[in-house]
Amino acid sequence: MNYNESAENYLETILILSRRLPVVRSVDVATELNFKKSSVSVAMKHLREKEQITVTDAGFIYLTDTGREIAEMIYERHEFLTNWLISLSVPAKIAAEDACRMEHVISRESFDAIKRYVHGGQ
């Protein structure tokens, strides 16, 4: 997994958790992804350096505008691709796993073209 994909997964996870929890902490991210807290801590440092998240003194993680934009793009791709694959009779678990890989490598142009096609706009 390259850094960009890893960073995108972290940002997407923070977005998802922020919709479920009042605040997001590193321990929440570690639990959600089943990663070691130390690995998450290193990743959070990199995301802070890239100004994609902010972390309060109390350890609460917030997406910056840039981080939120990336997270929402990845989440949209994940949801759309998962549902599309399921509609093609791919089992849900496999569809979600495949979508998770596809969401990081597909270009914006190809993703938009697939969306137009699926929604009948060819």
Side-chain angles (χ1 to χ4, degrees):
M1 179 183 302
N2 66 38
Y3 174 74
N4 194 43
E5 181 178 336
S6 177
E8 289 171 350
N9 277 333
Y10 278 110
L11 293 170
E12 181 185 23
T13 299
I14 294 165
L15 176 69
I16 292 166
L17 288 172
S18 72
R19 293 176 177 176
R20 284 199 324 239
L21 303 172
V23 293
V24 179
R25 300 163 299 144
S26 289
V27 66
D28 302 316
V29 176
T31 300
E32 182 74 12
L33 295 173
N34 198 27
F35 289 173
K36 293 178 184 175
K37 291 179 211 161
S38 58
S39 298
V40 172
S41 180
V42 170
M44 295 304 106
K45 178 179 182 274
H46 290 297
L47 293 174
R48 275 194 320 271
E49 289 170 353
K50 293 180 87 169
E51 298 183 354
Q52 294 172 340
I53 64 167
T54 59
V55 181
T56 67
D57 290 341
F60 302 153
I61 301 168
Y62 296 97
L63 294 168
T64 63
D65 289 343
T66 303
R68 180 168 299 283
E69 184 178 323
I70 294 166
E72 288 177 350
M73 174 193 68
I74 295 300
Y75 184 69
E76 176 195 14
R77 289 178 178 193
H78 181 84
E79 290 293 298
F80 179 86
L81 293 168
T82 298
N83 292 329
W84 178 51
L85 293 170
I86 289 170
S87 77
L88 298 173
S89 300
V90 176
K93 184 177 187 309
I94 293 170
E97 290 168 356
D98 287 347
C100 193
R101 288 189 293 276
M102 294 165 64
E103 68 196 26
H104 302 287
V105 296
I106 192 167
S107 69
R108 182 178 305 267
E109 294 81 8
S110 293
F111 179 70
D112 289 345
I114 291 170
K115 276 191 355 186
R116 281 193 307 275
Y117 180 80
V118 168
H119 295 304
Q122 301 180 24

